[in-house]
Every structure is written in C-alpha cells, then in structure tokens.
Amino acid sequence: MRLEEFLEERTTADVSKVLSAVAKSSVRVWEALPIERGVTGGTNPSGDRQAALDLFTNGEFSNSLIATGAVAELASEEEAQPLTGRGALHVAMDPLDGSSNIETNNPLGSIFGIYDSALPCSGERIVASAFVTYGPMVTLTFSTGNGVNRFGLVRKGSNFVFELAAQDLKMPDKPEVYGFGGLRREWIPPVERFVTKLEQLGSKVRYCGTFVGDYNQVLKHGGIFGYPALKGKPRGKLRLLYEAAPMAFITKAAGGYSTDGFVDLLRVEAEELSATTPVYTGSYSITKELERTVSSGSP
Ligand code: F6P
Ligand code: MN
C-alpha cells in the first residue's frame, strides 16, 4: 500500500499533509546526502556546529511543511525562532539527527513531533510523530497514536514511492539490545549500575551515535536506548521537543515506555524550545525498572 492511500484512510487531512510533505522532502534530502558535504562554521541554538546538510535539511523541510498550509508554527532544532504558517498544527523538528555521522557515513535521520498546542509544551500535546532513517534504505516510521507504521522508499519505474513495510510495530519486551550515549564515567551512578546489570543479564550493546538509528535497534529487537543525565549535565543532551518527546510518542504506541528517570517523558513540560532532558526509552518492563532505579534516590 502507498503512503498517500494509507494516510488518507487513517489520519486527519492536516496530519496527512504534514506526513506527506515529510516523505517528499526526505527523498530530496536523501538525494542531497552525497552532495552537501561541507561545514558552515555556524552553530545552532544548542551550540552544536552546523554542517551544510543541517542547513539544507532545515531549509528543505521548513519550506515544504509551511507550504502544506496545515502548520501554524514550525520550530526547528536549527533555528532560534519558529516559523509561522496559516494552519493549525505545531511542528517541532530535528531536520538532521546524528550529524556527527556525516563524515563517517553512518546512518542519519530526521525527527518530527506534531503537536496541537503552541510550543513549548509537553509531549501530551503530540497528535502524531515521525522519524526518517537514511540508512541503506530510506524509511519513514510514524504513529498517529494508534499503532506504529513503517514505509520504505522503493523504485517504481523512474519514480520513488513509499510503500508499506510494516504495520502496527510492537517493541518486544525482552531486552535484547541497549545503547547509551555520553561518556560512561560521566553517567549518574544509578544509570551505571543499571547498565552493568543489563550487561550481566545478556543484553548486547548497539550504539551508532544517531538517536534514530540506535532507537530502531530497540524498536526491532527490544531493549533500551538512553542518553542519560550526566554528572556535569543533569538535563542530558537530547532536546525534549525536537527529539525526546516525538520518539517517546512512538515508543508508547509500540507498547514501550519512556522516562526522564522520574516520570513519563511525555509528561515533562518543556520550559523553552531548546530544553534538554535525560532520555530513556524502550521496552516497557526494563524502562520502568530503570525509572525505579534512577528515582529511588540511592546514589
Ligand atoms: O542529536 C544529537 C545526537 O546526534 C543524537 O542523534 C545522538 O544520540 C547523540 O547526539 C550522540 O551523542 P554522543 O556523541 O555524545 O554519544
Ligand atoms: Mn538529533
């Protein structure tokens, strides 16, 4: 089944317009990946260095999402100020997730949270979210709250189209794999203890350095992805609105759980657009156990 057909049947007209625009632009991004290789010398509002591809993807998705007419506000990890449009939806995006993987030719991604409230707000206001992975295949994975679906880009004659690859994806509850970012010696002690225990239980490490790539391993095999609270950075690295909450929305729709170590990640209020949060997202039982370990108060 084609993406457009699926969206027409399953979502509102506005969400459908946004997800179709994401899909179309992701093809242009994929085509640009081998071409836009430089660095810019600039930094984004979080202080990350911007690569040419960060700017290209930001421009591409911004133009196509605003052109849908369905977007009221578009906030991007690469911009200090949101763009405004004539529609009703509020979109927060990380147009190029994992940009440190550009040089090493490892997977890259894009993340989109579609909210029904002005930003910043909590993930409880998400109505749909999506992520794209640019790996050997381009895939679009999304949820409108009711199951997680994946479409893959395939060639049909001289055209590329997104076709249904998997419907109603569920995260297995057995923790096969885990991936935690940041320096291990900087992790807060309960996280260090928890990961040591996971390893003893036989979970395998999977870490490529792109949130969506590492997350995909967990979605497929079961386990947990974390970018923890660090000793010197208690609010972690990943951005709540652009990265953490949209992925937590997908985790929940796949039967998993996400936490900042204390509460459901979807309930955490963003105080500003670039607010960061510790992120632990994955299979339900193991992520709940991590939350108990981190919130227990023992050092
Ligand atoms: O967007 C930030 C990001 O690139 C994520 O995709 C990834 O999970 C994380 O940073 C990797 O950070 P580190 O290099 O510190 O492990
Ligand atoms: Mn990112």
Side-chain angles (χ1 to χ4, degrees), residues 94 97-99 181-182 207 209-211 225 227 237-239 243:
D94 176 359
D97 179 46
S99 20
Y207 195 73
T210 293
F211 184 14
F225 169 85
Y227 204 105
K237 175 182 185 187
L238 298 183
R239 271 107 338 186
E243 302 173 300

Side-chain angles (χ1 to χ4, degrees), residues 38-177:
V39 287
T40 65
T43 54
N44 72 12
S46 307
D48 303 332
R49 274 185 304 167
Q50 285 174 316
L53 271 171
D54 286 313
L55 297 191
F56 177 87
T57 54
N58 184 51
E60 173 60 44
F61 286 119
S62 297
N63 292 338
S64 73
L65 289 177
I66 292 293
T68 61
V71 174
E73 178 186 24
L74 174 64
S76 166
E77 194 180 292
E78 300 303 331
E79 300 279 1
Q81 293 302 325
L83 296 174
T84 49
R86 288 171 289 107
L89 296 170
H90 301 258
V91 180
M93 67 173 178
D94 176 359
L96 189 70
D97 179 46
S99 20
S100 62
N101 272 340
I102 296 170
E103 275 186 280
T104 52
N105 193 28
N106 280 350
L108 296 162
S110 305
I111 307 175
F112 302 85
I114 305 173
Y115 298 74
D116 68 1
S117 153
L119 305 170
C121 60
S122 82
E124 285 177 319
R125 307 307 300 263
I126 295 180
V127 293
S129 73
F131 67 91
V132 178
T133 49
Y134 314 95
M137 253 187 104
V138 179
T139 60
L140 172 70
T141 307
F142 64 88
S143 177
T144 52
N146 183 13
V148 177
N149 305 298
R150 170 165 295 158
F151 284 75
L153 189 64
V154 293
R155 190 199 287 268
K156 291 274 161 162
S158 55
N159 294 325
F160 282 101
V161 294
F162 278 96
E163 286 216 326
L164 186 62
Q167 205 169 341
D168 204 14
L169 286 167
K170 289 287 174 227
M171 205 174 262
D173 206 44
K174 187 165 175 279
E176 282 282 318
V177 299

Side-chain angles (χ1 to χ4, degrees), residues 193-205:
R193 278 202 308 277
F194 178 84
V195 170
T196 303
K197 190 173 144 199
L198 261 184
E199 288 163 345
Q200 283 159 359
L201 289 173
S203 285
K204 280 190 264 183
V205 68

